[in-house]
Each structure stands twice: as C-alpha cells, then as structure tokens.
Amino acid sequence: QVQLVESGGGLVQPGGSLRLSCAASGSTFSIYYMAWYRQAPGKQRELVAGITTAGSTNYADSVKARFTIARDNAKNTVFLQMNSLSPEDTAVYYCHVRTVGTTFWGQGTQVTVVS
C-alpha cells in the first residue's frame, strides 16, 4: 500500500502561482510514475502532468509552459509548480502514483482561481 498526502492548494488571483506537494509513504519502492490530475465541476478527471522515476515528464497541452512537475525520489515527493493561473485551472487536484500492479490516489486539494 501507498499513502499520499497532498498540500499546497488554495485561493489565488488570475496570474498568480501555487505549488502543490504530494508526499508518498508506505511501499514506495515500487513507484515508477507520479502525476497530478485535476477534476473541475461537471468535467472528467484529466491528466495535468506526470513524471517517471528517471525524470521523463508529460504535460497536458493546456498547462505546458505554465506548470512544471518535479520529483524528489529520495523523499518520495512530487511537486507541481503552477504559474500564470487562470480561472480555467480551478479544480480539485489529485496526486496519482503507479506501482507495479496497481495505482493510488490522494484525497485531492482544491485550487481556486478567482478575481
């Protein structure tokens, strides 16, 4: 089992920045991929950004050049730096990890971008 604890969400004005963190504990030795997803009201959950143990990253087109995902393998923590936030980024953001054989989700952290 892997436990995930997210932090860093909140309320921000358009153009502002937030940094999300997700710390994994438990059977972390088997994690090979960490990612952030988000789900806005009335919409499907979507991938925002992901990163492998080797550091390869992938991003949704809507966040490229604005968001940066990073990972501290020694601390089993993944970060999402979000810049130039817009109201369209408002959503619950979920940490997601993949291990050999299964996946785990965090409880979610709310990000609200409003004037």
Side-chain angles (χ1 to χ4, degrees):
Q1 290 291 317
V2 173
Q3 295 78 43
L4 302 172
V5 178
E6 301 149 334
S7 60
L11 184 69
V12 65
Q13 292 185 336
S17 298
L18 283 174
R19 187 183 191 225
L20 306 182
S21 299
C22 172
S25 60
S27 300
T28 57
F29 62 91
S30 59
I31 295 175
Y32 64 88
Y33 181 76
M34 304 182 81
W36 289 95
Y37 283 71
R38 68 185 180 187
Q39 188 166 20
K43 295 187 177 181
Q44 290 187 330
R45 192 172 296 189
E46 62 175 358
L47 175 69
V48 177
I51 186 167
T52 67
T53 304
S56 296
T57 59
N58 60 299
Y59 293 92
D61 288 343
S62 60
V63 307
K64 282 181 181 177
R66 298 189 300 124
F67 291 9
T68 302
I69 190 168
R71 179 172 174 173
D72 185 333
N73 289 328
K75 296 182 178 179
N76 296 303
T77 300
V78 63
F79 306 95
L80 185 67
Q81 178 66 42
M82 304 185 293
N83 298 327
S84 302
L85 285 161
S86 72
E88 289 71 34
D89 296 314
T90 295
V92 178
Y93 283 70
Y94 296 91
C95 182
H96 169 82
V97 302
R98 297 177 190 172
T99 69
V100 177
T102 191
T103 61
F104 297 91
W105 292 91
Q107 79 283 1
T109 184
Q110 178 70 45
V111 171
T112 303
V113 185
V114 64
S115 300

